[in-house]
Amino acid sequence: MSPNQPEIEALFSEVREVTPAPAFTAQANATPELYERAERDPEAFWAAEAKQRISWSRPWDSVLEWELPYAKWFVGGQLNVAYNCVDRHVEQGLGAKVAYYWEGEPGDTRTLTYADLQREVNKAANALKALGVGIGDRVGIYMPMIPELPIAMLACAKIGAPHVVVFGGFSSDALEGRMIDAEAVALITADGGWRNGKVLDLKAAADVAVGNAPTIKNVLVVRRTGHDVPMTEGRDHWWHDVVDGQSAECDPVPVDSEHLLYLLHTSGTTAKPKGIMHTTGGYLAGVSTTHHYIFDIKPDDVYWCAADIGWVTGHSYIVYGPLANGTTGVLYEGAPQFPEPDRWWSIVEKYKVSILYCAPTAIRAFMKQGDDWPAKHDLSSLRLLGTVGEPINPEAWLWYRRAIGGSRCPVVDTWWQTETGMILITPLPGITTLRPGSATRPFPGIGAKVVDADGTEVANGSGGGYLVLTRPWPAMLRGIYKDPERYLSTYWRRFPGMYFAGDGCKVDDDGYFWLLGRVDDVMKIAGHRISTIEVESALVDHPAVAEAAVVGRSDPVTGEAISAFVILKSHITPSDELALELREHVAKKIGAIARPKMVMFTPELPKTRSGKIMRRLLRDIAEHRTLGDVTTLADSGIVETIRVKAQSSEADQLV
Ligand code: WTA
């Protein structure tokens, strides 16, 4: 047992609070005064931050235009995001500073300084121009975690072409839908990437998707794994052929503050992913400001956000926030526990990482492997830890702080969403007294509260409700691409005048926010949003399936795991092989993260008299709980039948 154990136990059972260490407070970027100043005049607060952190090529005329539910920030201002993230640092003499330490899964490494990044971004931007990509054109990006991924994003930003990044673990179907929705003109991909010692064949998936997305005229392919890939004449180009010979100079295109910077698709309550729109000035101000205060960024920090750039966490806190702040970051290509469960800790030790930001699901997976793996490494460089993506259970929080942070690092539990673009509820390190499991308080200037079903604010300490946001913030989404009606109905109709986040939350006696998970039909699998309906559609897409319902049930490592209840077509006989086939079918249609952990065949599903599937009851069954209210069921015998079947078939299928 570690010598720190008793202190933690005391924390857990008695105090359940961690007060800031005075030494940390003394050097912290944040001050308590931020809250008061921002609350007094939020617009003035954001204007001051935007002025200080960003170089504008034209100043704004007004800070905020707010016509609910549409916000415009820094209206009339012009800037270029790539200039702000790269060029100006080089101009200011930081060319030799490391922008990224990159490590591939096989152990190969690259170091990119800000000067290197500038040269590579400029060449890539010139290559895009040579392929006919212009301002406003959408460019798809489907890549492993290699330096060309942020380079490609910045190259797009440099010429004002919005990017549409699709997580490299997604299937060709997922890529195709997103490319069609975005009407992308080009796609940047790679031959493949490394994951758990195997090659992920991205080019093969990209070929299928591009074949069905006719707006894509050009495909740029980075050589990463070196395996043989087919290249389509006239459409596909090797990155090294097209990019390497370009000029290393490229003037940034100044764009309006409200110019579309990127689309990022996220799961909602229908099968079609939503193209979340993020624009330029407010977004960059929001991510750079939060990154500065919440991660307490200092010039000599080595900061590692261990997410994939394909998710919003990577967009905001691997690429844009950190680079705007001139930070040195770490990028790692592969699986967290490859080849051994201490891969991450060897990276922390090797690069002397001082700030680590990751997901609770990763923390739980490491916790399961025990203290010995991190204990093999010198983790004394760490001075701050962060989490994001789902609620973190206090036990995992305390383990993270002790086994990884040596009981000396503040832990910032940060709540936000693809839609919010930036962290909104979080401690400020050095200022906030921490409570394990609570994201604590809204960031300065953010209006957040918890309301009951009627939209009335729930008093502190009086139970749970729905999290809402009461005023605009700079990095907020500007809409759903090509779907204003869905934007209104998803976020703004439930509680008039307030943004509905879709999360349950309670506020304790002292005003601390405790996030309780999603209240809609969105699951959080290993920290990633997956809607029940997307998985159901993928199941029904299989020729043997007549109907399907899926629910997330709690899982000790991944937070939630998918349980699928499947009705087969009448002539099909259920079998273990078929269950396996269905699981693989979903993985193929959506990606491995959506593969159901359990598939159960059932003759019926519990439905209301109006035909709505009662997922709540399925969740009870999956969790082995006593069933909740069944009075609205059309056929009350059916749940009992499913429950008995579930108990007998489940044991064999769990992996
Ligand atoms: C959940 C990820 C509790 C929440 C940045 C939210 C969290 C959804 C936390 C957004 C947290 C994120 N505590 N829950 N600290 N952070 N969530 O769009 O349910 O992938 O609505 O963005 O993740 O997921 P998304």
Side-chain angles (χ1 to χ4, degrees), residues 266 312-313 388-391 413-419 501 503 515 518 524 527 529:
T266 191
V312 75
T313 304
V388 58
E390 49 177 322
D413 172 357
T414 63
W415 178 90
W416 59 296
Q417 307 179 295
T418 305
E419 293 87 339
D503 279 359
L515 276 304
R518 303 289 306 175
K524 268 282 175 168
R529 268 162 81 170

Side-chain angles (χ1 to χ4, degrees), residues 20 46 50 62 89 97 118 139 149-150 171 202 234 254 313 326 417 445 449 548 558 616 649:
W46 288 115
S62 64
H89 301 316
K97 182 170 181 177
Q118 181 182 44
V139 176
L149 170 51
S171 65
L202 292 173
T313 304
Q417 307 179 295
K449 62 184 186 186
T558 55
R616 168 170 71 72
S649 73

Side-chain angles (χ1 to χ4, degrees), residues 367-643:
M367 191 167 102
K368 208 171 145 190
Q369 302 286 348
D371 291 18
D372 291 350
W373 292 102
K376 279 167 60 173
H377 296 274
D378 176 5
L379 305 182
S380 61
S381 55
L382 288 170
R383 66 180 196 92
L384 190 150
L385 302 173
T387 73
V388 58
E390 49 177 322
I392 180 160
N393 31 322
E395 194 194 342
W397 192 104
L398 289 165
W399 182 84
Y400 189 35
R401 187 177 135 83
R402 175 179 60 76
I404 307 305
S407 299
R408 67 182 178 275
C409 304
V411 178
V412 291
D413 172 357
T414 63
W415 178 90
W416 59 296
Q417 307 179 295
T418 305
E419 293 87 339
T420 71
M422 63 191 243
I423 297 168
L424 295 189
I425 302 179
T426 176
L428 289 181
I431 308 302
T432 312
T433 293
L434 307 171
R435 295 189 177 171
S438 169
T440 75
R441 298 177 59 185
F443 187 80
I446 300 305
K449 62 184 186 186
V450 175
V451 297
D452 64 17
D454 301 326
T456 309
E457 185 165 4
V458 169
N460 287 1
S462 69
Y466 303 94
L467 178 66
V468 294
L469 302 168
T470 55
R471 61 169 94 107
W473 63 99
M476 71 188 282
L477 76 168
R478 299 305 198 260
I480 296 175
Y481 195 55
K482 297 191 299 196
D483 204 345
E485 170 51 33
R486 199 170 170 203
Y487 175 60
L488 283 171
S489 62
T490 309
Y491 307 109
W492 301 96
R493 285 225 177 93
R494 179 72 181 80
F495 299 109
M498 297 184 268
Y499 171 92
F500 172 53
D503 279 359
C505 190
K506 67 178 184 191
V507 185
D508 70 17
D509 288 333
D510 302 310
Y512 276 54
F513 285 63
W514 297 77
L515 276 304
L516 303 172
R518 303 289 306 175
V519 296
D520 52 21
D521 288 332
V522 175
M523 301 173 289
K524 268 282 175 168
I525 313 297
H528 303 310
R529 268 162 81 170
I530 302 184
S531 69
T532 51
I533 187 90
E534 268 178 287
V535 180
E536 288 162 3
S537 303
L539 285 165
V540 174
D541 174 81
H542 189 282
V545 176
E547 202 177 343
V550 311
V551 295
R553 69 142 186 229
S554 50
D555 181 276
V557 175
T558 55
E560 283 191 295
I562 300 177
S563 295
F565 297 81
V566 173
I567 304 178
L568 294 173
K569 288 187 180 152
S570 53
H571 58 283
I572 309 279
T573 320
S575 67
D576 289 350
E577 293 72 45
L578 183 56
L580 204 67
E581 192 178 317
L582 293 180
R583 295 174 62 227
E584 290 316 309
H585 187 72
V586 175
K588 192 172 149 280
K589 295 294 291 183
I590 304 176
I593 46 166
R595 183 191 284 119
K597 197 158 181 182
M598 187 205 60
V599 171
M600 225 215 51
F601 299 112
T602 167
E604 257 314 330
L605 289 168
K607 289 185 184 161
T608 61
R609 285 178 195 91
S610 62
K612 263 186 108 175
I613 295 173
M614 295 182 73
R615 288 203 181 72
R616 168 170 71 72
L617 294 178
L618 293 176
R619 225 170 278 134
D620 289 342
I621 294 171
E623 306 248 18
H624 308 296
R625 280 195 302 252
T626 341
L627 295 182
D629 183 12
V630 293
T631 48
T632 52
L633 266 181
D635 172 0
S636 57
I638 193 66
V639 275
E640 203 39 47
T641 318
I642 303 174
R643 189 155 62 156

